[in-house]
Amino acid sequence: MTSDLVDSQWLPSANASYARHSNLSTVSPGHHPFRLLGESSRETGVAFPNVDQAVEPIEPASKRQKTEHDTPKLGSGPHFSSAVPQYPWLVDKPSHRSSECSSTLDASSNSKAALKYRDTDLMRRGPPVLPQRPKKPSSRNVNKSKIVSTVANVQTKPYVAEHPAPAPRFKYGGPADFHPWTGHHSEDILNESTTKNGLYDKPQAIQNESATARPAIWSSLKHKSGLPILSSLLVLALDQRQAHGTVAASCTFKPPPRVTLTDTKREAWLRDLADPDIPLRRLSRTIPHGIRGKILLDHCLGKMIPTTRAVWLAKCVGANEIRAFKRKGAGGAFAIGGEAKWIKDWTANVEQFLEIIIGRCGDVGWKTQVDYGLRLAFHLASERLLDQAHYRNWLISSVRKSDLETLSVWILMLQMHRNDLLQERQHGRHYVQVLLEQLHKATEPVQEGIYTTIVPQLAGILETVIVSNPACFVSPQMWDHYETLLWRTLGDNAGNLTESLDHLSRRNKGLRRQASLHTMSPKQRIIHLLDMAFEDVDIASLSDTCLALVRDTDSVHLDVGKYLQWLMAKGCTNGASALSQHGRCDLRLLFELPTYDLLPHISNLRSIMLSKVGASGEDEMKIIRSVQGSIAKQIPDFFPTPRTDDGLPSSEYALMQLSIPIKTTVAQWIGQAVASRSSQKPSDCNNQDEEQLETSHLLMITSHQFKAIRRVLEDLEDFAVLADVLEFILESDDITILTSACDTVCYHLSIFAAMGVLPNLFSSMIRRYKHISKSTPADQGLIESLIDLGKCIPNTHQEVRLLRTQIRLHRRKAAASACSPISDHMTEALQSAEPTFPDELDQVLASGTSIDKQNLAQLFDKVVQGWEQSRGYSKEPDLVFPELLSRLRPFDPDHFEVLMGSWIGRVLRSTTELSTPVTLPIFITSGCVTLDKVLRIAQDTLHDTKAGDRHTIIAMDVLELVATSKVLRHNSLSASKSYRLRWQLVRILRRDPAVMLPFLLPTFEAYSAAQAEFRNRANTLIFNEDVQNLIKTLAVRDPQNLRSIGFSTGVAAILDKIIPLQHSHIGAHEQSSDPRHILCLVNLYNMPLCQLKLKIMFSTDATASGHAASTLSGTVSSDAEFSSSDFWPELVSALPPEQGDYIRQCLERDILSRVSYGLGASAPGIAALIDRTLSVIEAIGADNACQTSFPLISQMAEKFSHALTMCRPLATGLDSPCRGSSSEEPCILRDTTYHIDILLRLLNVHQPTVQLANFPQSTLIQLHLSLTFLLIHPALKTNTSVTSRLHDTLLVLSDSLSEESRANCIRTLRDYKIRDPRVCFVFGYSEHTDDEWLGAVTNPSTRSDSRPAGLAGLAGPSSDQMLRVMQPYPVRRWEMMQDATPLMGVNDTSLSLTLFGARKAVL
């Protein structure tokens, strides 16, 4: 910072006529060097003029175009010397007048110039022109008219001399060597000396020496040591120059003083400040008192003071306010605290000022005000005139709380301060989180269309941050919540963004607890995709995804001929036995191949190969013909009579137990028979328009035949043929058949959806319905079935809307056919008690159109009473009374539902012989109530009933109603109604199986009840196949709720029935408390059930639970047979919290005891065991964060410090007891790196514990410093996986640091001069501080070395080893201002020039 300006007191000039005696005291204020200093410090405050840049460069004379002023003149004196000027800022240009005059009078003084001078030129130009002396006009010769004319033409603007255009100029001043004639300049005074010799600017030499010094020193200089002596003399001269030319005056800087002004003068001063033409130096004499805080900001906004001037005023006020604390006598911590408090108050004023301005959005002129306010706040923040932490936290919280009207402005503010917010992890994470919150709110369905312009803006900002600052997104909790949103919003963009999102996903999953559970194999992913697939799934997309996961899939078709050749080439049939359930899969396919469309030679080859393994193709044909004959007898006059062998009668076979070749052959035979009943193919029918469809030939089939065929195909499980049959069935005009076909599609909805035929079937049904409705009145049952089907198919909203319109029209037509209210005819019907009551009531209902609530309730009660009385002597009226109730429903559906709900609740609580599983199906199939309504009423009734016998009976009744097939065999239900009820039951269980949980729990508890009646019934339900299927469905669709069914013996019994647990190495009496036997049968399909079984094992009693926990922890950490299982992590993730914590703590202690830094610590066997144990710990997790884990984390901190000690000698090459031989160093480094990774995985499990408020900050600081120094350690630089995990762990761990702990870490890191960008980002300190360029030299520090263990020598020599310590010199930003005083002194700057050794200089 030392100035290189010239400190000479004499400035020689190339033109002696302009050379003058110049010193520091005689330089004009306009050319004073510190005036330039003050002007240049307007932006930086500590800038100094550079002479080389102060004057614009002058073009050399050799390259300039010659003019008459460039002609050499005759004269005498040094000013006619042709030497190159010594200083470039002095102009090499002769004077116009004095040089000419001197050359005329004294031409003989310079012979060389006289030779070049031409007399003709002098004669041609004549003598130099002098200014004309002014003359007074004669009054007698003046014409008054001319005087008036002359006065009128006088210019009012005085003449101002203009400098020549080619003249050089100073950078911060006027033209060089230009002095217009005034008559008072030394050049303008002619005397004898100047006339003869010209004007000399050379000062008189001080004659202190009588003679030259050459003889005195020449004798010394001509020897060998002469050059060193001359050099010493020059050094002494330079020292004297430095001593006399350095600025020694103390700093006299003071901010502009404040004075009390009247309101008028204050307003005038503020208006002058708003005028950019008025210089600040004029306004800096004084500033008005009383302008501070929000008043200052309001004045700046009201008068639109330029931003730079507003910041200057804020600095002036702030500097005076801060200096006021010192003037009051306060010092030390009190003064610093007062200054910090004032800055916080000032920051709060700025924040309030911005909130008010942004709150005016939409008012008149709001854009101008918002624009000015944002610019002013940005400049104040960039000048570091605000409390940065408070301001940034306020900005983020304001964006989070902003509404729709002001969100765009707040986002703009975030964009303005983005670079500052993203410089550190603390604010960068909050910056990203608030953007994600706003994006989530903007993309909600209720906000659709409102945030149209904001969503792309937020997406663009997030896209930029993902690419530039991905570390801000490293937060497992935040990523879990917003990952789907990011992929949905940004995932479609091409380029590196997809790769960035994938990379961020991997980084967050690596830190997430239970991370191993989320890394599924391709097989697990396929199973998960298929389990979660519903009816509305895109089959094409699902199949592509599954095929992409299975890389070894080459084709989706099987060439049977090549397969048979392959079997023959391998010799698989040689010596093979007959078909076995557990036989070889390649040979089992031979038995299961469909044969209905095989070519004859391939079919014969298959039969030959079957005979080699003990099977016969002829036996298959016999069974096929026998089954066909049995089916033909069940559906007479439909199938051709099949040929039987040897006249033997056909036998009865269980269709579901037949082999696949037999099933497919029989199913194809049925499909061909149905197709023969139609004159067209379904494809031809689909291509016809409506007019052609009306004239098409109809299918010749009855409703009874279709239902029988449907039952057979369902038993054969050939739904492809069933779909073809349904296509043919849709040719029929029978509404009953069409309704049954619609119910069939609804029942097998998921199967037809997986086959991809569901949309076509629905379209065909809609087409057929439109054709029938033109000639036949619309049937309400068919329309309701179509509506139920359409609601389950995507992209059918329009068709469903039209069908609902048809339902409303049908009901209106039915209402218009009647003519009188029902109440006019119901008196006699209510009083009738004869068996003919249903017929009389039916006539009453058919004769009216309206009914009030009171009469509706009376009719409802009458019908219910009639139904209850009829059950005693007849079963036939069971269907009549529900039909009557269903006819009451349209009159007032809301009130009818209330009455029906009340009656169903009474039936459920009744202790009479009204059996719920027998009673309710009749009313459900009649349309009186839906199954969903029954379940809701049953749940409410069960909740209101106290635990006891009735509570258990209600639960078992409902479970028997919904989850068993007993109700489907009800004698009072027709086949169609039974099928429709079955479809409703399947739909309930498929859509929401968890609705049955409240009824499962009491049933499982009744399994061990004391009453034999309850115990037997519960046993029957538990071992019922339908209830077991319900448990399996829950395991697939809702495994989380499955774990809440309890730990009773009934649950254990049904699980033992579903998955029989046996192990040959474990005794039968030990299996109930030994978790090892679960590993024998666990797989990807029964994992939820095995998890529940393990949970029950740990929840039976304390003794068994403790034994199981001990056995499990010991098995994981030592038993190689069981610990190698891949299902351990997912299996133990469902353990109860108490047992899980116990097992986790045991395993953690075992791991810490194994973590040693000796040679061979990462042997393959030990490493595999530790890795498996860590997977189990991560699966269990540490959700219950508590103080019991504090000692464990403290041990991990010590282990990290030990790892740092082990790495230090490997990096520095120092001798250490920990260091082995050169051949062992790679092994030691490998073991150390491996155990660092183990500790990091273990530490990430305990992140919830570290985030507790009472966690010891000393341990947290030790962890941060150890991990930081490991991150930047040279020995680990090549291991990118470990350093990446270290960095990510530090990022998440730093979110738990308090402000005091963060400051301590930053202080330590700065002492070691650690400026790694990753570390600076984590802790939030600048890599290069603003005060770094300015330092003060102090004495060596005597403080002790407080570095962590293993850090000595890592960051260079300690401070005690340094002779001089350079400490940062803080810059007072409030005093870094330009034009602080009207008159600039020698050292009147905000930073004292003596700090830089600045030298006096003159331009």
Side-chain angles (χ1 to χ4, degrees), residues 1193-1201 1239-1240 1243 1250 1255-1270 1286 1290 1293 1305 1323:
I1193 301 176
S1194 179
Q1195 293 180 29
M1196 285 191 283
E1198 295 296 334
K1199 292 286 185 180
F1200 279 120
S1201 298
L1239 292 173
L1240 288 175
L1243 180 61
V1250 176
F1255 186 80
Q1257 291 295 310
S1258 59
T1259 304
L1260 196 57
I1261 293 175
Q1262 184 182 5
L1263 276 173
H1264 277 82
L1265 293 179
S1266 299
L1267 294 178
T1268 300
F1269 284 103
L1270 283 172
L1286 277 167
L1290 264 177
L1293 201 64
C1305 292
F1323 293 96

Side-chain angles (χ1 to χ4, degrees), residues 1100-1372:
T1100 52
D1101 55 67
T1103 304
S1105 176
H1107 173 71
S1110 301
T1111 304
L1112 182 60
S1113 59
T1115 302
V1116 172
S1117 59
S1118 60
D1119 198 331
E1121 177 185 359
F1122 294 97
S1123 63
S1124 60
S1125 175
D1126 295 331
F1127 300 107
W1128 266 118
E1130 190 172 0
L1131 186 63
V1132 301
S1133 61
L1135 288 175
E1138 296 79 9
Q1139 285 75 18
D1141 289 341
Y1142 174 77
I1143 295 174
R1144 177 180 53 79
Q1145 291 172 9
C1146 294
L1147 297 178
E1148 286 171 345
R1149 288 193 297 267
D1150 181 73
I1151 281 186
L1152 288 180
S1153 64
R1154 293 177 183 270
V1155 174
S1156 60
Y1157 298 98
L1159 191 63
S1162 59
I1166 300 177
L1169 190 60
I1170 292 178
D1171 187 67
R1172 185 68 59 190
T1173 306
L1174 272 174
S1175 301
V1176 175
I1177 293 175
E1178 291 172 340
I1180 296 175
D1183 292 322
N1184 299 329
C1186 58
Q1187 298 182 3
T1188 56
S1189 299
F1190 288 178
L1192 177 70
I1193 301 176
S1194 179
Q1195 293 180 29
M1196 285 191 283
E1198 295 296 334
K1199 292 286 185 180
F1200 279 120
S1201 298
H1202 188 200
L1204 186 60
T1205 306
M1206 293 296 299
C1207 290
R1208 177 181 166 270
L1210 298 177
T1212 60
L1214 301 177
D1215 293 333
S1216 173
C1218 302
R1219 186 183 182 192
S1221 62
S1222 59
S1223 61
E1224 294 178 352
E1225 285 185 5
C1227 299
I1228 295 176
L1229 181 60
R1230 183 183 65 247
D1231 295 343
T1232 303
T1233 304
Y1234 174 72
H1235 287 105
I1236 289 174
D1237 186 71
I1238 291 175
L1239 292 173
L1240 288 175
R1241 292 176 62 181
L1242 201 58
L1243 180 61
N1244 287 324
V1245 174
H1246 291 276
Q1247 286 287 355
T1249 304
V1250 176
Q1251 296 173 0
L1252 292 176
N1254 60 343
F1255 186 80
Q1257 291 295 310
S1258 59
T1259 304
L1260 196 57
I1261 293 175
Q1262 184 182 5
L1263 276 173
H1264 277 82
L1265 293 179
S1266 299
L1267 294 178
T1268 300
F1269 284 103
L1270 283 172
L1271 175 64
I1272 63 175
H1273 205 287
L1276 303 177
K1277 190 175 298 183
T1278 57
N1279 197 326
T1280 56
S1281 61
V1282 173
T1283 54
S1284 177
R1285 189 183 291 270
L1286 277 167
H1287 185 211
D1288 293 343
T1289 304
L1290 264 177
L1291 288 172
V1292 180
L1293 201 64
S1294 63
D1295 297 335
S1296 306
L1297 275 176
S1298 63
E1299 293 300 327
E1300 183 179 359
S1301 300
R1302 188 184 301 273
N1304 291 335
C1305 292
I1306 293 174
R1307 191 180 305 112
T1308 303
L1309 295 173
R1310 279 180 172 168
D1311 288 343
Y1312 290 104
K1313 301 186 183 303
I1314 294 177
R1315 297 178 179 179
D1316 189 281
R1318 298 168 297 177
V1319 179
C1320 295
F1321 174 78
V1322 170
F1323 293 96
Y1325 69 95
S1326 177
E1327 185 176 352
H1328 299 285
T1329 59
D1330 297 331
D1331 301 335
E1332 198 173 52
W1333 61 275
L1334 183 61
V1337 178
T1338 60
N1339 295 327
S1341 176
T1342 58
R1343 64 191 178 191
S1344 60
D1345 194 357
S1346 59
R1347 287 177 286 185
L1351 302 185
L1354 183 62
S1358 63
S1359 59
D1360 295 335
Q1361 300 171 350
M1362 300 173 61
L1363 297 178
R1364 304 174 67 189
V1365 177
M1366 183 72 72
Q1367 293 183 350
Y1369 187 88
V1371 179
R1372 297 176 180 176

Side-chain angles (χ1 to χ4, degrees), residues 129-143:
V129 181
L130 298 176
Q132 185 177 2
R133 190 180 298 277
K135 298 180 181 180
K136 294 182 179 181
S138 177
S139 59
R140 58 184 179 182
N141 297 328
V142 177
N143 189 348

Side-chain angles (χ1 to χ4, degrees), residues 531-532 534 932 935 939 959 962-963 984-1001 1026-1042 1044-1045:
D531 286 344
M532 295 297 105
F534 292 91
D932 294 339
L935 291 178
Q939 288 180 350
L959 184 63
V962 178
Q984 293 187 39
L985 298 177
V986 170
R987 185 181 63 175
I988 286 289
L989 299 181
R990 182 192 300 134
R991 184 184 60 195
D992 186 16
V995 74
M996 299 304 299
L997 285 175
F999 311 107
L1000 286 171
L1001 297 178
D1026 297 312
V1027 176
Q1028 294 178 14
N1029 291 333
L1030 174 61
I1031 298 297
K1032 295 177 183 178
T1033 305
L1034 278 170
V1036 172
R1037 293 295 178 90
D1038 198 354
Q1040 296 297 330
N1041 281 328
L1042 176 64
S1044 63
I1045 62 176

